[in-house]
Amino acid sequence: MTVTIADVVTEDAPRPAEEAGGRRANLVANLVQLARKPVFLLATLYVLFVIVSAFRPKLFTSFGPYDTYPESAAQAPSAQHLFGTDIYGRDLWTRVLYGSPLTIKATLIAVGIALVVGLGLGILAGFFGGLIDAVLMRIIDVLLAIPGLLLALSIVTALGYGTIPVAVAVGVAIIPGFARTTRAEVLRVKTLPYVEAARAGGASWGRVLLRHILPNSWGPVAVLAVLDAGVAIIAIASLSFLGFGAAPPAAEWGTLIADGRNYLVTAWWLSLLPGVFVALLVLGLNHISKTLQELTR
Amino acid sequence: MTRYIVGRIIQAVVVLWAAFTLTFAILYLLPSDPMELQLAAAGIQEDSLAPDQLAAMKQRFGLDQSIWAQYWHHLTGVLHGDFGTSLSQQIPVSDLIGQRIGQTLLLSAAAATVSLVAGSLLAYLATFARWNPLRVFLTRLPALGASFPQFFVALFLIQFFSFQLGWFPALGTEGIQSLVMPVVTISVLTSSVLAQVLIKSFDETLRQPYIVTARAKGLSRSAVHLKHAFRNAALPAMTILGVLVGLTVTSSIVVETVFTREGVGKLAQEAVLAQDVPVVLAVVTIAATMFVLVNLVVDLLYPLLDPRISHTRGRVRPATPEVVTT
């Protein structure tokens, strides 16, 4: 639309937060800004709750995951059993909480693999350019040509079932996104004046890469990592739903939902409530990543 | 231009070959003991076989040959439409897929159509709405749609529309009625992905000077939105058509399993459960072919639809919007 002089002037004016104390002051300012967003706070609290409850489930439930109470089988959700009970009388809320560590571990492994490999490939491609870039990006194109879930499925076929193979499979399937984002950021940062200045000042390429390019291209990659954690949770849950996850009686979220499927008519909560639990987590992660993205822009 | 087309086709063939090779490597090089894997798929215990029987089985699976010979055998087979024999069902994989691919193509096509319409409509409304709360709601809606695991959406639909209301059958492939819920399940995800890209593209297009010109010369808001903005905004969204097709195909794995539809998706799930390696390789190869073909067609059509992009000078490709998918 119309660009007034005032717009241009305010855009060019130095931002006081950065002048005052560099990165740290900027971070504090950002945190204050984030704390004012209620939905963001809610999403963060929920994600934190899921993580804490995964490591200390006893804080939030008095039942054991394998305790069976035949007299209270298949009860609808109530104050005593938040998510109701399954056909063996096990408390579903407890089962969900005890299923968290498996899924969270798998998610961390998946995102970790994607982050390390994707970051490495992206930096190599973006930093060295030329032939290395061309070859690496063609490899990424090939990875992208196989739809993610199918790539994961073939890896699971080869490695066998269980939490770790599923995590590895999902991790490999989300590598391309990280590699592309990192490459784009490195390419952008590489041409900025301060990189040239650092080089002119006598810094080696390695130092420039570690001290100047990496810290400044890290932002979008971190945002993508949060977003992909959500994607990975869905993929891991889908794979364990399809029957490739941990062996019973241990239950990942996907397995719980799949088990409840057979009792959908009589006990809808067995399937739908764990599903809501997972969906809320993914939604929370999506929202956090979106808010962070708006902030870094 | 001709050079571009030929180059693009060669590139697609190379990517496809590399995708096949990668999948082959995963399936045939990663397992520590391919023999055990394939025997398990055929339902035989390795210990129960005498050494000469074991050798015979090895020969039957082609595992007595070197990995290169096996690879060459599979590659030439695929080029002739021969994907080998299913280990668990003992019939040619191409027959198995031939029986089932119709179901999946029908499902994918229906889902793609529905999500194109629904996604465009949502993006159109989200950018056209003036009342801010509604605008924010519609803009955030796609993120919501993409957050729900598909099996959850499917189970929810079954619980609500089959068991509570009794409108649609919960499973099976009988009639058009059984198609409704699977299509809706897939469309929730794919239309969300499409709408996210379209909304972004709309926002950028609406900031163009020619939109201001159109408004300034007295056209109504809706006329500008529909005739001037929509066509240009829809162009970048074309580049994710390949991604959308890929998504409908992978979605069919979960959706066909939940709704018990005998399609290729369910075949894939069963094949992985049975570790039926040739079937998995075939399904992945076919899905990759579809994905690469759609991308090729989009890339070749794009310059015809958008004259601003020409391939006469250098290699200019439309920037593919980053889409996060599973």
Side-chain angles (χ1 to χ4, degrees), chain B residues 66-84:
Chain B
S66 73
I67 191 74
W68 293 109
Q70 290 180 49
Y71 172 66
W72 182 247
H73 176 77
H74 275 92
L75 186 63
T76 46
V78 167
L79 291 177
H80 292 99
D82 171 19
F83 289 99

Side-chain angles (χ1 to χ4, degrees), chain B residues 1-322:
Chain B
M1 193 65 200
T2 329
R3 230 183 112 190
Y4 168 76
I5 294 175
V6 173
R8 190 62 192 76
I9 292 174
I10 291 176
Q11 193 196 337
V13 171
V14 170
V15 166
L16 205 52
W17 164 78
F20 173 80
T21 308
L22 177 71
T23 317
F24 181 86
I26 289 173
L27 289 170
Y28 284 81
L29 289 182
L30 266 189
S32 50
D33 187 358
M35 188 64 195
E36 193 187 3
L37 190 78
Q38 307 216 352
L39 280 176
I44 304 168
Q45 287 279 322
E46 195 168 358
D47 308 335
S48 69
L49 292 174
D52 55 325
Q53 281 176 306
L54 202 63
M57 291 303 273
K58 226 171 186 154
Q59 196 183 7
R60 204 181 105 204
F61 296 145
L63 289 176
D64 54 337
Q65 297 163 352
S66 73
I67 191 74
W68 293 109
Q70 290 180 49
Y71 172 66
W72 182 247
H73 176 77
H74 275 92
L75 186 63
T76 46
V78 167
L79 291 177
H80 292 99
D82 171 19
F83 289 99
T85 310
S86 159
L87 295 172
S88 54
Q89 306 198 34
Q90 321 295 345
I91 53 172
V93 177
S94 43
D95 289 359
L96 209 53
I97 288 178
Q99 289 162 12
R100 292 175 170 225
I101 201 159
Q103 279 296 339
T104 305
L105 284 181
L106 180 68
L107 180 64
S108 293
T113 317
V114 170
S115 42
L116 273 183
V117 175
S120 312
L121 201 66
L122 179 59
Y124 183 85
L125 290 177
T127 47
F128 191 70
R130 261 181 168 160
W131 187 46
N132 204 38
L134 180 67
R135 201 184 163 90
V136 170
F137 171 73
L138 289 175
T139 318
R140 298 270 170 161
L141 203 56
L144 193 69
S147 293
F148 285 102
Q150 280 183 311
F151 53 84
F152 174 75
V153 177
L155 290 174
F156 179 79
L157 290 177
I158 290 181
Q159 165 65 18
F160 197 69
F161 289 102
S162 295
F163 296 153
Q164 301 277 322
L165 299 174
W167 287 0
F168 304 107
L171 42 91
T173 41
E174 305 271 306
I176 199 90
Q177 290 252 307
S178 70
L179 201 60
V180 175
M181 292 202 299
V183 166
V184 171
T185 307
I186 298 182
S187 305
V188 167
L189 176 68
T190 44
S191 58
S192 298
V193 171
L194 178 68
Q196 276 172 328
V197 174
L198 263 179
I199 287 174
K200 213 172 160 193
S201 169
F202 248 121
D203 280 340
E204 273 161 28
T205 310
L206 288 173
R207 266 184 256 129
Q208 301 281 325
Y210 79 93
I211 297 290
V212 184
T213 314
R215 283 287 283 148
K217 75 180 185 189
L219 282 178
S220 71
R221 234 178 125 237
S222 54
V224 171
H225 216 75
L226 193 61
K227 289 194 181 139
H228 293 246
F230 186 74
R231 285 164 69 174
N232 274 323
L235 274 174
M238 267 195 64
T239 51
I240 65 151
L241 269 185
V243 173
L244 285 184
V245 169
L247 268 185
T248 54
V249 172
T250 51
S251 303
S252 71
I253 301 172
V254 172
V255 168
E256 286 177 355
T257 306
V258 178
F259 289 103
T260 334
R261 299 173 62 85
E262 297 294 320
V264 176
K266 188 147 178 291
L267 179 69
Q269 191 254 353
E270 288 163 358
V272 178
L273 266 186
Q275 302 195 294
D276 200 336
V277 173
V279 178
V280 177
L281 181 62
V283 173
V284 175
T285 308
I286 290 171
T289 311
M290 279 173 70
F291 179 79
V292 169
L293 271 183
V294 172
N295 270 344
L296 178 66
V297 170
V298 168
D299 267 13
L300 293 183
L301 280 184
Y302 207 97
L304 298 179
L305 296 175
D306 189 348
R308 286 172 299 182
I309 301 208
S310 84
H311 294 291
T312 43
R313 275 173 300 145
R315 298 204 321 149
V316 191
R317 282 190 64 190
T320 313
E322 277 295 325

Side-chain angles (χ1 to χ4, degrees), chain A residues 102 161-166 236 239-241 243-252 255:
Chain A
L102 281 176
Y161 312 143
T163 311
I164 305 289
V166 163
I236 290 164
L239 286 174
S240 60
F241 177 82
F244 312 132
E252 289 167 40
T255 324

Side-chain angles (χ1 to χ4, degrees), chain A residues 161 228 231 242 264 271 283 286, chain B residues 147 159 269 272-273 324 326:
Chain A
Y161 312 143
D228 269 1
V231 172
L242 290 174
L264 210 51
S271 221
L283 202 61
N286 278 359
Chain B
S147 293
Q159 165 65 18
Q269 191 254 353
V272 178
L273 266 186
V324 183
T326 42

